[in-house]
Amino acid sequence: MLCCGKAVMFIMGSLINWRTSALIGVIPCVLQLIGLFFIPESPRWLAKTNETKEFEAALRRLRGEHADISQEATDIRLYTEYIKQIPDEGLLNLFQKRYAYPLIVGAGLMMFQQFGGLNGFSYYASFIFESAGFPSTVGSIGVAVLQIFMAIIGVLFIDKSGRRPLLLMSAGGSCLGCVITGLSFFLQDFHARKDLTATLVIIGVLVFLLSFELGMGGIPWIIVSEIFPLNIRGSGGSMVNLINWTSSWVVSYTFTFLFEWNSAGTFFILAFMGAVGTVFIGKLVPETKGRTLEELQTY
């Protein structure tokens, strides 16, 4: 759904001016605000605050009226009782040695999601196409449509192949996309044929964005929601969200300056970050497929 939202705005942004796009953006904001009134509270949070009836009602609403929730409810209660025995030190809890691993995994995934070049490609797609001599409207619309198909493939395979394989393929493919895009601008500096550089840049952008949507676009958010224990889930989630948007701002702010300094070098730097991110995923990110949140916390 993240991908579909981005794709719709890619297409609209190619056809209408930015002021109209910004105004249209008010509509989903209002719909989201209304929708919040119909979302049940987290069952685990209700169990933590001893709201037993509300806890069971919320869990049944999420699992379905006829689902057997007895075992899951018992597991949640037992784990919640265990968590309550741990002293609550607020945000300082995050920086205890016992939570170093989930914090490193969560923060690392968010940093590499952004420093791999997402917002460089997303925010400046038209600029990149035009700089390489490719029609920006055609490129943006083509990228938007193909991203949706790739995201659908990710949805179909995430619980079959697991999180890690999709993340590794996604990060590796994103790195390759940066290399191809960088190569197109490198050849352009040597006055290579315009049709060759334009073809390479569209291939590079497509490889990056399609690979990104396969895994790195959504799976880091899933893993972050799974790896933090209940007592630090709120503060941990907020911290990695802050890291994500700070990293996003850094990439968005510096991209044009880097591009003016060296267009090819910009994408080779992003490719290097993507390669480091692939190694990080391979070495540190755990597989969470098929495990309950309580099983993950025990692990």
Side-chain angles (χ1 to χ4, degrees):
M1 296 313 296
L2 274 168
C3 174
C4 289
K6 286 192 292 183
V8 168
M9 293 312 295
F10 255 84
I11 294 169
M12 291 176 64
S14 301
L15 303 175
I16 57 180
N17 67 60
W18 71 267
R19 286 184 176 84
T20 307
S21 294
L23 286 171
I24 291 172
V26 172
I27 297 171
C29 291
V30 172
L31 291 174
Q32 186 177 40
L33 182 63
I34 295 169
L36 286 171
F37 290 99
F38 300 94
I39 296 176
E41 185 55 85
S42 158
R44 286 171 176 82
W45 187 84
L46 291 169
K48 185 181 175 184
T49 55
N50 295 319
E51 298 177 62
T52 307
K53 288 184 179 179
E54 291 83 354
F55 156 68
E56 291 181 356
L59 189 60
R60 188 168 296 284
R61 183 177 174 189
L62 289 167
R63 298 293 178 259
E65 284 299 319
H66 304 293
D68 182 5
I69 62 168
S70 56
Q71 185 59 52
E72 185 178 8
T74 301
D75 290 342
I76 291 172
R77 285 196 190 95
L78 289 173
Y79 182 70
T80 304
E81 289 302 317
Y82 163 72
I83 285 295
K84 286 179 181 177
Q85 297 170 20
I86 301 173
D88 187 3
E89 298 173 24
L91 191 62
L92 293 176
N93 253 351
L94 268 179
F95 302 102
Q96 293 182 29
K97 188 176 180 181
R98 72 170 80 179
Y99 303 130
Y101 180 44
L103 185 60
I104 289 169
V105 170
L109 280 173
M110 291 304 171
M111 287 178 65
F112 288 116
Q113 184 190 56
Q114 296 297 339
F115 285 128
L118 167 63
N119 287 337
F121 281 91
S122 294
Y123 295 160
Y124 299 103
S126 297
F127 175 68
I128 294 168
F129 288 137
E130 289 169 3
S131 299
F134 192 90
S136 62
T137 301
V138 175
S140 295
I141 293 174
V143 163
V145 173
L146 290 172
Q147 276 187 96
I148 295 174
F149 286 112
M150 210 63 183
I152 291 170
I153 292 173
V155 169
L156 294 175
F157 282 95
I158 187 169
D159 282 324
K160 293 181 180 178
S161 63
R163 278 76 157 138
R164 272 170 53 86
L166 284 179
L167 277 175
L168 287 168
M169 285 190 289
S170 178
S174 298
C175 175
L176 177 62
C178 289
V179 171
I180 296 171
T181 309
L183 182 61
S184 71
F185 285 102
F186 180 76
L187 293 174
Q188 191 180 62
D189 291 340
F190 286 93
H191 306 290
R193 284 167 39 202
K194 190 174 181 181
D195 60 333
L196 174 63
T197 57
T199 302
L200 278 175
V201 81
I202 187 64
I203 291 172
V205 172
L206 282 173
V207 168
F208 177 89
L209 289 174
L210 298 186
S211 298
F212 188 87
E213 293 303 340
L214 181 65
M216 287 299 287
I219 294 178
W221 296 104
I222 296 173
I223 290 179
V224 161
S225 73
E226 295 172 329
I227 58 174
F228 286 114
L230 186 62
N231 59 316
I232 62 163
R233 190 163 295 153
S235 54
S238 299
M239 177 63 73
V240 296
N241 199 35
L242 174 64
I243 290 169
N244 181 283
W245 285 105
T246 302
S247 303
S248 169
W249 173 78
V250 170
V251 173
S252 306
Y253 184 77
T254 60
F255 185 84
T256 50
F257 296 112
L258 286 171
F259 197 87
E260 288 175 8
W261 161 69
N262 190 313
S263 53
T266 301
F267 293 101
F268 290 142
I269 290 170
L270 296 176
F272 172 75
M273 294 302 296
V276 174
T278 305
V279 174
F280 174 86
I281 292 165
K283 294 288 185 182
L284 289 176
V285 176
E287 180 56 75
T288 61
K289 182 187 78 168
R291 294 175 173 182
T292 66
L293 295 179
E294 285 67 39
E295 288 170 346
L296 281 169
Q297 304 324 314
T298 304
Y299 168 77

